[in-house]
Amino acid sequence: MNDFLLFVVLPYLALGTFFLVTIQRYRQRTFSYSSLSSQFLENKQHFWGSVPFHYGLLFVLGLHLAGLFIPNAILSWNAEPARLFITEITGLAMAVVALVGVVNVIVRRFNFSKARRVTTTSDWVIYLLLVVQIGSGIYVAIYQGWGSSWFATNAVPWLWSLFSLQPDVSYIASMPLSVKVHVVNAFLLIGFFPFTRLVHVLVVPNHYLWRRTQVVLWNRDRRRIRQAK
Amino acid sequence: MFAHRQIILIAALIVGGGQALGQAPSEDSYDYFRLNCSSCHTIGGGDLVGPDLKGVLDRQERDWLIDFMLDPAGTIDGGDAYAQEIFRAAKGQYMTKIPSLDRAKAGAMMDLITHESGLEKSVFAGMQLSDRPLTRDDEKLGRKLFLGQAEFAAGGPACNSCHTLVDLGGFGGGRLGPDLTSAYSRLDGRKALSAWLSAPPSEVMSPVFADHPLEGDEVLALVAFLKHAAASGEMEAESLTMDFLLASFAGAALVLILLDLAWRKRYRATRRPLLNRTRAGKATR
């Protein structure tokens, strides 16, 4: 019964909330779609938070999506142990990079009064969910290793059973606790996503991932301004 | 899912009713036994991991057996004398609790066992696998199948997705399932291991392999490989995990260095001191 709640009801609730609220929010409060960056308030520690977090997480998320949509391609790639090791080491390395990022983000938000002042409760909740998500993922990668293969064979069929409206929890029901924590927390994140500033992920084009860095130059003449007084 | 349950319930009722009229159990019951029970039990073919079930209803009450099937570990740990006895006979292996099993299905299994026990030779009298000696080629094929370098004909996933084993090379195999180095000796050799592999009964494996069963030659190849592994010694899983961890941490450090390099022109070394001096009121020119 608990399995039914956690692995059928929760995913449907989370996905339903995700789609309905993101669309409703975009239609009614279009300009709330923003990352509400605090880079302007502090940009030294910001680099070691934001940059590793984003690139680490996007890479790992990409691997999960590849497993979901092209599981057989992943399994064929992993059929040679050397390639499997490349997938696993790269995946774990990028997860560690993402963890370094999110920890820096949290420390910075906590330590800088300006940044702390613009941090809302929903931000703190999302940070907690992200730490649990990345932390449990790293734990699973180490202690239940080669998830790039068994995700494709054991978890993906369950996810597709949800998408095809014929939920079958037998695939996931007997997974270790760490895997269940990772899965349940993922759906909590998905459900909470539309109420937070994470929505900026959805605003295309996400050209800030590959555009050149912006440099703000001050070109006013401070002396002339002083003399004019 | 609900409809599926109802169908099984109806099937079970039909089976129950059919028994009274002397009819054979339904095809569903045979499939259910094959998938969930045959990896550890024969009917008239001798003991595997679990006891031979021929005439089991002459040895124990039907209701006791059904209660036991629904909660094997609970019955054994509850101190029931008969349960303790079969637990000892199975060398301390708990019977797997089957998540999809309910009272109706357990009853259908009892009817099937009764029916099959009355036959001269049950279809579950034993594996239809060859008794031929295992060769060095079997062992090689088994290794390839284990690693995924050779594919299973029915599309089942490679063993190393979830299992590791001595001498796999590199960082070893997966860690979701148990280390299989001692599987051959743990399951008491070829016969029980073959039966186990023919329909893997564990809760994690059975949904995955239900539609992708291993073929006879593949089972024999894996048995040969596992037998070889059991003779080779102990697994060094922990040191391999540490190697994997260190390699990944090194990779993470490399990525952080690359990110730092990619943004080397960011707002710091030259421009930040300039800004700080301006803020402190000193001339910048």
Side-chain angles (χ1 to χ4, degrees):
Chain A
M1 192 59 204
N2 279 339
D3 286 336
F4 184 75
L5 275 180
L6 291 176
F7 303 117
V8 179
V9 177
L10 173 68
Y12 281 132
L13 272 179
L15 289 170
T17 311
F18 177 88
F19 284 109
L20 290 177
V21 179
T22 46
I23 292 168
Q24 182 259 356
R25 177 169 166 183
Y26 193 76
R27 291 169 66 99
Q28 295 190 356
R29 294 186 294 140
T30 312
F31 291 106
S32 73
Y33 267 60
S34 163
S35 65
L36 296 176
S37 171
S38 64
Q39 186 172 16
F40 225 69
L41 303 174
E42 191 287 323
N43 68 1
K44 198 173 176 185
Q45 285 203 15
H46 182 269
F47 177 83
W48 290 113
S50 180
V51 171
F53 169 70
H54 279 96
Y55 285 92
L57 199 69
L58 283 171
F59 186 92
V60 174
L61 192 64
L63 278 186
H64 282 76
L65 290 176
L68 179 60
F69 289 106
I70 45 167
N72 290 329
I74 297 280
L75 289 173
S76 304
W77 168 266
N78 282 351
E80 193 55 56
R83 296 196 301 243
L84 166 70
F85 301 148
I86 290 173
T87 318
E88 287 290 329
I89 288 176
T90 320
L92 180 54
M94 291 311 266
V96 171
V97 168
L99 186 68
V100 167
V102 78
V103 168
N104 276 329
V105 162
I106 293 168
V107 168
R108 169 181 171 277
R109 285 266 175 179
F110 195 78
N111 281 347
F112 283 83
S113 59
K114 282 180 189 168
R116 191 163 64 206
R117 195 160 296 172
V118 296
T119 309
T120 61
T121 310
S122 93
D123 292 338
W124 292 119
V125 173
I126 215 78
Y127 289 149
L128 177 71
L129 289 173
L130 283 170
V131 166
V132 173
Q133 192 60 17
I134 300 170
S136 62
I138 288 174
Y139 183 92
V140 168
I142 296 169
Y143 293 103
Q144 276 90 40
W146 298 191
S148 58
S149 283
W150 60 251
F151 174 72
T153 59
N154 288 55
V156 168
W158 162 67
L159 287 169
W160 281 106
S161 82
L162 289 178
F163 300 152
S164 57
L165 303 182
Q166 291 167 320
D168 179 358
V169 296
S170 68
Y171 290 97
I172 200 91
S174 44
M175 284 284 179
L177 182 66
S178 50
V179 177
K180 289 184 171 179
V181 168
H182 191 67
V183 167
V184 168
N185 195 70
F187 280 105
L188 290 179
L189 255 175
I190 290 169
F192 197 52
F193 177 98
F195 303 100
T196 67
R197 55 202 183 88
L198 283 186
V199 288
H200 74 275
V201 178
L202 299 175
V203 191
V204 284
N206 277 308
H207 61 278
Y208 42 74
L209 284 173
W210 52 84
R211 71 160 191 223
R212 293 176 63 89
T213 46
Q214 281 180 356
V215 178
V216 180
L217 292 172
W218 304 92
N219 60 2
R220 62 183 182 184
D221 188 335
R222 296 170 69 93
R223 184 178 296 176
R224 186 178 295 168
I225 293 169
R226 270 202 300 276
Q227 284 168 351
K229 275 181 187 169
Chain B
M1 202 171 81
F2 197 59
H4 186 62
R5 270 203 187 147
Q6 282 178 327
I7 290 167
I8 287 171
L9 193 69
I10 292 164
L13 287 172
I14 292 169
V15 169
Q19 278 307 104
L21 299 170
Q23 287 174 6
S26 75
E27 195 59 36
D28 280 352
S29 293
Y30 280 97
D31 285 345
Y32 198 83
F33 189 94
R34 191 170 292 117
L35 210 57
N36 297 290
C37 317
S38 71
S39 41
C40 299
H41 298 285
T42 69
I43 303 178
D47 296 344
L48 296 175
V49 179
D52 185 344
L53 295 178
K54 186 171 177 123
V56 69
L57 282 144
D58 303 333
R59 306 199 288 267
Q60 185 52 270
E61 295 287 323
R62 181 187 169 100
D63 286 344
W64 187 96
L65 289 166
I66 290 176
D67 288 338
F68 179 76
M69 287 163 76
L70 292 170
D71 185 14
T75 318
I76 293 164
D77 294 341
D80 184 281
Y82 190 75
Q84 297 274 338
E85 189 187 321
I86 54 178
F87 182 58
R88 273 193 298 276
K91 298 199 180 78
Q93 293 269 353
Y94 285 95
M95 180 171 137
T96 311
K97 186 173 178 178
I98 304 158
S100 61
L101 189 76
D102 54 23
R103 201 156 277 279
K105 256 183 266 185
M109 290 303 104
M110 288 295 125
D111 295 337
L112 177 127
I113 293 164
T114 310
H115 177 85
E116 288 292 316
S117 297
L119 300 177
E120 192 158 326
K121 188 177 185 213
S122 163
V123 288
F124 299 113
M127 292 301 307
Q128 276 76 51
L129 285 182
S130 153
D131 288 336
R132 67 175 170 78
L134 301 171
T135 64
R136 179 86 184 113
D137 284 343
D138 286 323
E139 203 183 297
K140 281 185 191 160
L141 175 64
R143 184 184 172 86
K144 284 189 169 173
L145 288 167
F146 193 98
L147 289 172
Q149 290 166 326
E151 285 180 26
F152 289 114
C159 315
N160 85 325
S161 303
C162 302
H163 298 285
T164 191
L165 195 65
V166 70
D167 286 341
L168 276 189
F171 297 100
R175 310 284 198 279
L176 184 70
D179 182 334
L180 294 183
T181 305
S182 62
Y184 186 85
S185 45
R186 210 164 54 221
L187 282 190
D188 222 12
R190 174 174 175 166
K191 191 178 167 193
L193 184 58
S194 307
W196 206 98
L197 285 168
S198 300
S202 88
E203 288 178 48
V204 178
M205 288 176 79
S206 69
V208 177
F209 282 91
D211 296 329
H212 310 284
L214 308 186
E215 294 190 344
D217 283 344
E218 295 168 343
V219 169
L220 289 179
L222 285 174
V223 169
F225 180 55
L226 289 169
K227 184 179 178 185
H228 174 75
S232 323
E234 296 291 309
M235 184 66 194
E236 300 165 296
E238 273 181 30
S239 71
L240 286 181
T241 304
M242 189 50 76
D243 291 348
F244 169 62
L245 203 56
L246 289 175
S248 303
F249 281 174
L254 182 69
V255 171
L256 290 173
I257 290 167
L258 289 176
L259 289 174
D260 190 35
L261 281 176
W263 270 272
R264 64 188 175 279
K265 286 184 179 168
R266 72 182 184 272
Y267 191 64
R268 52 169 192 187
T270 316
R271 281 175 285 150
R272 188 175 295 279
L274 280 173
L275 186 76
N276 287 343
R277 259 187 284 167
T278 313
R279 280 194 183 136
K282 291 174 192 162
T284 54
R285 284 179 294 144

